[in-house]
Amino acid sequence: MMYRPLPRLERPCLAHILALVLLFSNLINGLQLRAADPAPPPTRNYWGDTNRFLDQQAIVLLGAAQEILAQSPPALPEPAQRRTALLLLDAVLHDAEAPKRAPVQEFFQRRMAQAALEIEQTRVERGAIIWKLYDHAFVVRTRTVTLAFDLTRAHSAGVAGFALPDALAARLVSPCDALFISHRHGDHADDWVAQQFISQGKPVVGPAELWSDRPFHDKLRHLSANSNEAHALPVQKGQHTLQVRVFPGHQGTDLVNHVFWVRTPEGLSFCHLGDQSNTEDFAWIDRLADHGPLDILLPNCWTPNPLRVIRGAKPALVIPGHENELGHSIDHREPYWLTYERFAGAGAPCVVMTWGEAFRYRVDPETDESR
Ligand SMILES: [Zn+2]
């Protein structure tokens, strides 16, 4: 067999080099094009990680609720979509671990920071603005005064990361002229908040049993719980005076729960029920309206027979509170859906709100339907 030399490679000519450059540049361009193409998304799932799943679900549901609430602030008649948003909150907040979840903490703190900003910046020329805080706390502002009822930092939820930082709570305290505390339970009474008021020379009114073993007890105002007595309570260093009645309420059979009825210098009146829940007290609840016209009743949503309370007080408006106290067991973490059931057929307009929301009561006489 004859040996045949392999064909000699031809020396590369210019045409070959150009062809190779073209080939490589096409390849590189092709790669770049493919890199810019959107990669097909991986199928998202949370299999095996229930905790992360529930966190993500809280983000989605709270985000949806937030969006609806922002589009439909509290109003009368109630925008139908608000109920959907509040039911979404029920769903998220009836997870036993809710106060430990970062999305829940962020949702709560953001809403409270927004309320603090509004309270700092909002002037009221007529009527009143009522901010609902946690969980049965309200801040009420009229032209002359700002009242706080059962204001706490929300440590009752039992999770430090959920509670309001002191700096934020201080921003809620600072604009208020007086604090009314219904009873000693931690979801209504916060000693740090009370001492802030005291240090600013503002009255803190509560039952004598409250913090009776604390050094600042004698700095609290103890008004007698006598339905027929109207107390004059000076605020703003005597510049204005509130008229206060204290009704001798109870939580259950024994726990003293003061029901405050406060009349502002403009003649607007607000009645906060605390944790009123003793049916024997209907003896005076049934006659609440005898003490004069009531603008706004602020009942705990789970008070027994709320429709009877409303018949007794005859308020112009009802704003229930105490929903979703996260320190309570799931069965007593009162949901909005039950508030809607319990207050259906109330003989007064009813505004259901969540943390940080505000209702404008007779602020705009042209448009306000709560008149
Ligand atoms: Zn309570």
Side-chain angles (χ1 to χ4, degrees), residues 175-221:
C176 295
D177 298 316
L179 171 63
F180 297 90
I181 303 175
S182 61
H183 67 293
R184 63 177 169 81
H185 284 162
D187 52 336
H188 299 258
D190 182 328
D191 59 347
W192 183 90
V193 170
Q195 289 178 84
Q196 292 292 305
F197 275 83
I198 291 168
S199 69
Q200 293 168 22
K202 300 169 180 174
V204 177
V205 188
E209 296 81 351
L210 180 64
W211 297 314
S212 57
D213 57 343
R214 301 291 298 275
F216 61 90
H217 181 256
D218 61 355
K219 299 213 168 53
L220 302 172
R221 295 294 305 270

Side-chain angles (χ1 to χ4, degrees), residues 123-172:
R123 283 175 60 86
V124 177
E125 295 301 329
R126 55 180 300 150
I129 298 183
I130 301 93
W131 283 270
K132 181 170 177 171
L133 305 177
Y134 186 90
D135 63 354
H136 197 18
F138 294 90
V139 166
V140 176
R141 173 167 291 162
T142 66
R143 189 174 62 78
T144 58
V145 292
T146 304
L147 317 174
F149 294 95
D150 284 358
L151 180 60
T152 75
R153 291 167 297 167
H155 280 284
S156 53
V159 179
F162 179 82
L164 295 184
D166 292 353
L168 177 52
R171 289 177 56 201
L172 295 170

